[in-house]
Amino acid sequence: QVQLVESGGGLVQPGGSLRLSCVVSGLFQFRLYDLSWYRQAPGKERELVASISSGGLRTNYADVVEGRFTASRDDVKTSVYLQMNSLKPEDTAVYYCQATYFPLEYRGQGTQVSVSS
């Protein structure tokens, strides 16, 4: 059974930082999967925040987080991370990690990130 478990969310003041982690288990050949972070705020559609390719050679970021967020992966620990700096109130959302190896796609349950003073 494939499981993706996110952690590291919480309440942080504007300008602060958080590091999200997503541990993946039960996934055969984890290293072949592209990994992504999505988020969904109340009343809004889910949006892609960051992605990191198989092998970690390519990363892509949404314009609104470019320069503030950094995605990374550890294929030995079958984990993916999202370092979030200079957080803004508009970053408040539930953050999900996703593993994709077309046509296979798996997603975690999410972790809440709240940015407020």
Side-chain angles (χ1 to χ4, degrees), residues 1-4 24-28 32-38 46 48 96-109:
Q1 181 180 359
V2 178
Q3 285 191 314
L4 290 77
V24 183
S25 60
L27 197 59
F28 181 63
L32 298 181
Y33 283 71
D34 295 328
L35 304 171
S36 304
W37 287 96
Y38 286 80
R46 186 170 65 105
L48 176 64
Y96 304 86
C97 63
Q98 179 171 301
T100 304
Y101 183 60
F102 185 80
L104 302 175
E105 191 174 276
Y106 304 97
R107 189 182 306 157
Q109 293 298 309

Side-chain angles (χ1 to χ4, degrees), residues 15-94:
S17 298
L18 284 175
R19 185 177 188 246
L20 304 184
S21 299
C22 173
V23 179
V24 183
S25 60
L27 197 59
F28 181 63
Q29 293 192 319
F30 172 86
R31 62 182 178 82
L32 298 181
Y33 283 71
D34 295 328
L35 304 171
S36 304
W37 287 96
Y38 286 80
R39 70 184 182 186
Q40 187 165 21
K44 295 188 177 181
E45 294 186 355
R46 186 170 65 105
E47 64 174 339
L48 176 64
V49 175
S51 62
I52 182 166
S53 64
S54 167
L57 296 180
R58 296 188 310 276
T59 53
N60 289 290
Y61 300 95
D63 289 344
V64 293
V65 307
E66 182 79 54
R68 299 188 295 124
F69 290 10
T70 303
S72 60
R73 63 188 292 162
D74 186 331
D75 288 349
V76 174
K77 295 182 178 179
T78 62
S79 296
V80 58
Y81 309 97
L82 186 67
Q83 178 66 44
M84 306 187 295
N85 299 328
S86 304
L87 283 161
K88 304 176 181 180
E90 50 264 42
D91 295 319
T92 295
V94 178

